[in-house]
Amino acid sequence: MIYEDLKDKKVLVTGSSSGIGQATAILFARQGCYVGVHYFRTKKGAQKTLKQVKEHSNGTVCGGDLRDEKQAREVVEKFAEAAGGIDILVNNAGTMVDRQSFESATLEYHEDVYATNVRSVFLVTRAALPYLKKSKGAIVNIGSVAGHTGGANGSGMYSGAKAAVATETISMAREFAKYGIRVNSVFPGFIETRFHETYSTPERCKEVAKKTPLGRNGTGEDIANAVLFLAGEAAGFITGEYIAVNGGLYMRA
Ligand SMILES: NC(=O)c1ccc[n+]([C@@H]2O[C@H](COP(=O)([O-])OP(=O)(O)OC[C@H]3O[C@@H](n4cnc5c(N)ncnc54)[C@H](OP(=O)(O)O)[C@@H]3O)[C@@H](O)[C@H]2O)c1
């Protein structure tokens, strides 16, 4: 699908060195966008994404730990300077960090999960806001089905953090509407990326695919398609909303 209105938009996709972010960056590039490819530890992954972005349009790579206020601001500023502004921000960077139960988790783990998944969204959004106000842009936050279900064993704190992202999406949508900025989120289900290579066994991946009504696990492209829809004019009257992309794994009434 090609969205003509997205052509030449300046799009920052956090966590685009891998998985969902990588697929999203490439799909925006296919629309003719200038794409900010962001990484934390996987510079090679970001370079690979940029190479694919450049097959369609143009972009730049910016690295930084988004838990850190200074680095988050630098990532945003570096991208905005290279691109000449920001039209679309995709807050995708995040991870489970580890699987730990409430009974035995350390305080450090708890703090890290929230810093990685919630603080990062706040820091990047706040830094990008002056640019988004100018462009009357759009924000898409990546939540998770776990924010609804509480997640599988050992992902309770991650689920709580993603529920915070979901709720803050609504709060941001209300606060930023006066600037003409729309804020929405996508809640991925079970998506086969490095995330599950790290936190799930191959057996669990197969089990989940089997119990998913559409009979498979998701891909990064499945999520990217929903992100693009929410970012563009096709969703021009949608704000504070979410799209669950999970093959029917979790359905709301
Ligand atoms: N896969 C799923 O089933 C699933 C389901 C629901 C929600 N999600 C969410 O979707 C998003 C993307 O996940 P994915 O599946 O694509 O996983 P992934 O392939 O592991 O990618 C995670 C991305 O987040 C970045 N990142 C992690 N910690 C960071 C930090 N402190 N600062 C900046 N960047 C950081 C990583 O950067 P580096 O690699 O460069 O370090 C990487 O680019 C995450 O928010 C995840 O929670 C995934």
Side-chain angles (χ1 to χ4, degrees), residues 17-18 20 40-42 66 92 158 162 189 191 193-194 196:
S17 52
S18 149
I20 292 170
F40 173 29
R41 295 191 175 100
T42 323
L66 301 180
N92 164 77
Y158 169 74
K162 286 301 192 180
I191 313 301
T193 63
R194 190 187 61 191
H196 285 294

Side-chain angles (χ1 to χ4, degrees), residues 6-27:
L6 288 178
K7 193 170 184 302
D8 296 327
K9 295 289 183 199
K10 298 143 189 162
V11 187
L12 174 59
V13 184
T14 67
S16 40
S17 52
S18 149
I20 292 170
Q22 185 170 64
T24 303
I26 294 165
L27 201 56

